[in-house]
Amino acid sequence: MVLFKRDDIIKIIETCQIKGQDEAIIRALMYLNLGYPIMLYGPPGNGKTTIAEHILRYASRGDDYYRMEATEGMTEYHTIGGFHPLSMSGNAELSRQFIYKDGIVTRALQENKNLLIDEFTRAPATAYSGLFMLLSTGVLHLEYRELTLQRPKDWVLVVTANLGDEGTFKMSAALKRRFIPIFIGYTSRFTEEKIIKSYTPGLQPVLINAILDFAEETRRLWQEEKSLPQGLSTDGVIKMARYCDISIEEGLDAKTAFIDSAMHQGVIIADETDYVSLQTVNELALKIASRL
């Protein structure tokens, strides 16, 4: 049975809040139709989580799905389950006993609910050591409960990841190959221009171009020269446009509004511990502002 038919795919794309990622969404839905778990990965701030949530809401007919945000303190206890002490009980006998608590993956399988694990690589690989058999064969063995769970029909698992970002763990090749990676990159200038105009329809064209120039150059500095840890995301572009718009309404001139917004976003995309990195984005902001 196909989970997403042609009409469903068209509707999902048309109603998605994130624009310019049509090809990635189509690929994701096609692989989900084949029964594979998918990993939406790419630079932060480009809509991976929003796309994942949109797909899962559609697949789950609403918000009836499980979601977990991975953290560095996660273990297999959180994903699969394990024994939990009753030490907080006021009963002395109970305080020395344990109960078995199911993890979120186990609960999702038992209740036939789809699952999103956001920021997948923020947790160490050991947190997912119990998933290998499930992702390969559709079977999850719960050793301590002497129970085997089958993956439900049309079950959807989506994870998001900022591969190579600060604070993330390296995935093992064995775990990585059990997902279909779908890249969510920077969208086109044309699409971002349309997005800016939808948020700030009255913003001057010269300012829109300056914001887009700033975004494109930061991405080039990241990808080609490696002088920045990341480029400006689409989310950052929107924030710059909205800040410029409201600043001008409050009486600030366009040039100053742009410099302010560019330097604010520059701190986010630069390495705050590296003066050269901060100086790079500040000089870029001033250079582009000189054209205004």
Side-chain angles (χ1 to χ4, degrees), residues 77 82-89 92-101:
Y77 171 80
F83 288 103
H84 183 76
L86 295 172
S87 56
M88 299 304 291
S89 172
E93 288 254 340
L94 287 177
S95 67
R96 293 190 292 271
Q97 297 181 22
F98 292 79
I99 61 169
Y100 188 93
K101 183 178 179 181

Side-chain angles (χ1 to χ4, degrees), residues 29 31 101-102 143 163 167 184 205 219 252 267 287 291:
L29 297 175
Y31 278 112
K101 183 178 179 181
D102 292 322
E143 182 66 27
L163 299 185
I184 306 295
R219 294 164 189 175
L252 205 63
V267 173
K287 178 183 176 181
R291 307 170 194 162

Side-chain angles (χ1 to χ4, degrees), residues 196-232:
I196 290 176
K197 288 179 178 178
S198 70
Y199 277 93
T200 56
L203 197 63
Q204 303 168 29
V206 66
L207 259 179
I208 294 176
N209 283 325
I211 292 169
L212 295 174
D213 287 346
F214 181 75
E216 284 188 345
E217 184 60 14
T218 61
R219 294 164 189 175
R220 189 192 68 79
L221 289 169
W222 166 58
Q223 292 173 321
E224 297 179 13
E225 298 187 15
K226 313 299 182 187
S227 55
L228 291 177
Q230 60 182 294
L232 186 67

